[in-house]
Amino acid sequence: MPVPVPQQRSVPAAETSHGDLTLLVIEDDPAGTTITVPELSAAAGTRVRIRTARNLTEAARLLTDDVDCILLDLALPLAGGGAGPGTPTADAGTSGTGTGTGTADSGSLPEPVSERAGELAALTHVLGIAPQHAVLALTAQDDTELAAEAVRVGAQDYLFRGELDARVLSRAIRYAVERKRADTAQHQLTESRLRAQENARLERGLLPTPLLDGSGLSFAARYRPGRSRALLGGDFYDVVRTPDGTVHAMIGDVCGHGPDEAALGVELRIAWRALTLAGLCGDELLSTLQQVLEHERQSEEIFATLCTVDIAPDGRRAGLCLAGHPAPLLARHGMPARLLPYQDGGPALGLLPRARWPRRQVELGGAWSLMMYTDGLIEGRVSTGGSERLGQDGMVAMVNSRLEQGLAGEELLEAAVAEVRELNGGELTDDVAVLLLGRDPERIRRWGGSAPRSHPASPVVARPLGAQRPPL
């Protein structure tokens, strides 16, 4: 039977200025009766526009973004209804109001999961093509079981034909729309919480607590994700001290962005720490890391850049290996900062199968600060809308100006990252990871040969969880 909806009164233009709703009615009306929206009270301040569709094919054409609610007659037959590819179609002699146990043609209808599954096939199809729309199910008055099942499947509410009037329908439409909005908001909140949990797990893997007890070196670090991602990217770092007193530090960057790249960065970081604690260093360590990368990456196009340094127990010299990564910045006491040599660097991990990474010896001196960073720090633009990048030379000049102001440790990193962001005119497109190691002989003597044991820093924006505060 056609849906018995009362006629709509004429609505003044003043009452239709805002809050309008659009209802799509999907029901088989052989008589061609015009379906109209029920009369709404003036206090409601809402006008409901109506569209009618006699089958699912026509409904798909009328289903646009401005539709707020769908009223679906569960008695709508599927035969010839245009359910679309992949939608079960009933036998020619079987109506959608059957028990769902009829014989389908050529196996097109899968075995129903319940006795009412066939009667809900149209609803299932509508929910599939309109996941963002509120849906009202219309059924016979005495079929409470089917109505409840429709809500369980995904409809926001149900209506009985015999009880349908202006007041019930207008209220049901508004209720269904608001409930759908609440469901959508709850779903987004749940996704946000899951994303935050995943972010925390990735952060613990990518940005670990350094193992520096007894080294006498200070440590500070900053991480700032790029503006286009909610999750961490592929930047990672680690610092450990081996039993012989050598301090090993590394920073790396997996090409690309997203959870897959972040997960690969975690694997490389953990592999580096394990290999370092096992005694590997330089070319031997990087060759093994490349094997890990080749086995774990999802595509042969994925590569990773890496910078490693191993600082001698006396803290005055270090070995440097570069795998397609920017060279660190060294600032000695009373001298301007400069880039360490980078001419002898090797290719990024994963590019050449039999590559080699020479280890270069560098002199650090007595008192120094060593800054390691990812390319997100130097690829930011220096003017809004311009194409010029900061580059390594610009970074060196920026750091030297901050050193002249007397900044060091965390204050230096915080100021540097903030200035790069300001020059770029907003958040950087790429992730930025930067760490700072320092040696102060006077402080070491004051503490009897080693720096005081520091506590993990509080988790704040742009600061990795578990980072240690430097004694500087």
Side-chain angles (χ1 to χ4, degrees):
M1 295 177 58
V3 180
V5 184
Q7 297 292 323
Q8 180 182 352
R9 69 182 175 91
S10 59
V11 183
E15 293 184 29
T16 63
S17 59
H18 78 284
D20 293 356
L21 296 176
T22 300
L23 175 69
L24 175 60
V25 177
I26 309 175
E27 65 95 31
D28 187 27
D29 182 9
T33 304
T34 302
I35 307 302
T36 55
V37 176
E39 181 179 355
L40 299 178
S41 64
T46 303
R47 175 184 178 184
V48 180
R49 304 186 186 94
I50 190 112
R51 298 177 187 174
T52 58
R54 296 179 58 184
N55 53 55
L56 296 177
T57 300
E58 188 176 354
R61 291 196 300 266
L62 297 176
L63 185 61
T64 55
D65 292 338
D66 61 334
V67 172
D68 299 286
C69 185
I70 299 171
L71 177 62
L72 173 66
D73 187 359
L74 296 183
L76 183 73
L78 289 179
T87 301
T89 303
D91 201 0
T94 305
S95 118
T97 56
T99 60
T101 58
T103 303
D105 32 58
S106 304
S108 61
L109 183 64
E111 182 180 353
V113 296
S114 70
E115 295 183 356
R116 316 309 296 266
E119 297 171 275
L120 295 174
L123 174 61
T124 303
H125 178 76
V126 169
L127 293 174
I129 66 174
Q132 304 301 323
H133 295 76
V135 177
L136 287 170
L138 184 66
T139 185
Q141 183 171 357
D142 58 348
D143 204 344
T144 305
E145 180 182 345
L146 181 62
E149 185 71 7
V151 173
R152 188 193 67 80
V153 169
Q156 272 61 57
D157 201 355
Y158 62 84
L159 295 170
F160 294 132
R161 293 191 188 91
E163 297 180 353
L164 194 62
D165 59 22
R167 181 183 59 83
V168 172
L169 182 56
S170 60
R171 183 181 62 184
I173 293 172
R174 291 193 296 269
Y175 170 78
V177 170
E178 292 304 321
R179 180 174 178 182
K180 185 62 179 181
R181 290 173 181 170
D183 290 344
T184 302
Q186 181 62 39
H187 179 70
Q188 293 174 346
L189 178 60
T190 301
E191 282 188 340
S192 177
R193 289 174 178 172
L194 292 176
R195 189 179 298 114
Q197 293 172 4
E198 182 180 359
N199 193 51
R201 289 193 297 270
L202 289 174
E203 187 173 275
R204 286 193 296 270
L206 291 169
L207 316 177
T209 301
L211 303 179
L212 285 174
D213 289 344
S215 67
L217 301 182
S218 62
F219 173 86
R222 284 293 182 274
Y223 177 87
R224 184 180 292 275
R227 64 168 175 241
S228 61
R229 292 165 307 282
L231 294 176
L232 298 178
D235 293 6
F236 56 96
Y237 63 77
D238 202 354
V239 181
V240 298
R241 179 174 182 262
T242 50
D244 64 356
T246 303
V247 172
H248 302 261
M250 73 89 176
I251 192 167
D253 184 5
V254 177
C255 72
H257 307 288
D260 292 336
E261 289 75 13
L264 182 56
V266 172
E267 293 181 75
L268 293 176
R269 201 277 304 168
I270 295 175
W272 177 88
R273 176 175 281 202
L275 294 171
T276 299
L277 294 176
L280 275 66
C281 185
D283 180 76
E284 185 180 11
L285 185 149
L286 292 176
S287 297
T288 308
L289 273 184
Q290 174 158 280
Q291 296 180 38
V292 174
L293 172 65
E294 291 172 345
H295 288 297
E296 297 297 329
R297 64 185 176 183
Q298 294 186 339
S299 167
E300 293 184 357
E301 298 178 354
I302 300 296
F303 64 88
T305 66
L306 203 70
C307 169
T308 69
V309 295
D310 52 280
I311 303 170
D314 62 5
R316 302 185 65 87
R317 62 189 185 280
L320 170 66
C321 285
L322 296 176
H325 200 87
L329 188 67
L330 176 65
R332 294 177 178 173
H333 182 67
M335 300 175 62
R338 63 177 179 86
L339 293 173
L340 291 180
Y342 51 86
Q343 293 83 1
D344 297 333
L349 302 180
L351 292 183
L352 301 177
R354 289 179 293 276
R356 288 292 177 263
W357 296 272
R359 177 178 175 272
R360 180 162 186 163
Q361 190 79 10
V362 294
E363 295 296 326
L364 300 178
W368 49 265
S369 293
L370 183 68
M371 190 175 81
M372 305 168 68
Y373 52 92
T374 57
D375 57 6
L377 186 68
I378 59 177
E379 290 185 349
R381 304 185 186 277
V382 296
S383 61
T384 304
S387 59
E388 184 181 356
R389 306 282 184 175
L390 177 64
Q392 288 181 292
D393 293 338
M395 180 195 65
V396 172
M398 177 189 66
V399 171
N400 278 326
S401 66
R402 297 298 181 178
L403 290 173
E404 292 175 357
Q405 298 173 6
L407 299 183
E410 290 193 354
E411 291 183 350
L412 174 62
L413 293 189
E414 191 71 38
V417 173
E419 183 172 350
V420 169
R421 179 183 177 277
E422 181 179 354
L423 290 172
N424 190 64
E427 291 295 342
L428 301 167
T429 57
D430 198 3
D431 304 321
V432 174
V434 55
L435 63 88
L436 186 68
L437 290 168
R439 183 175 186 271
D440 184 352
E442 179 61 30
R443 181 170 290 274
I444 293 176
R445 286 192 294 269
R446 187 182 310 161
W447 289 95
S450 63
R453 191 168 184 173
S454 53
H455 299 284
S458 301
V460 296
V461 175
R463 175 179 298 167
L465 296 177
Q468 294 177 313
R469 293 186 181 274
L472 291 179

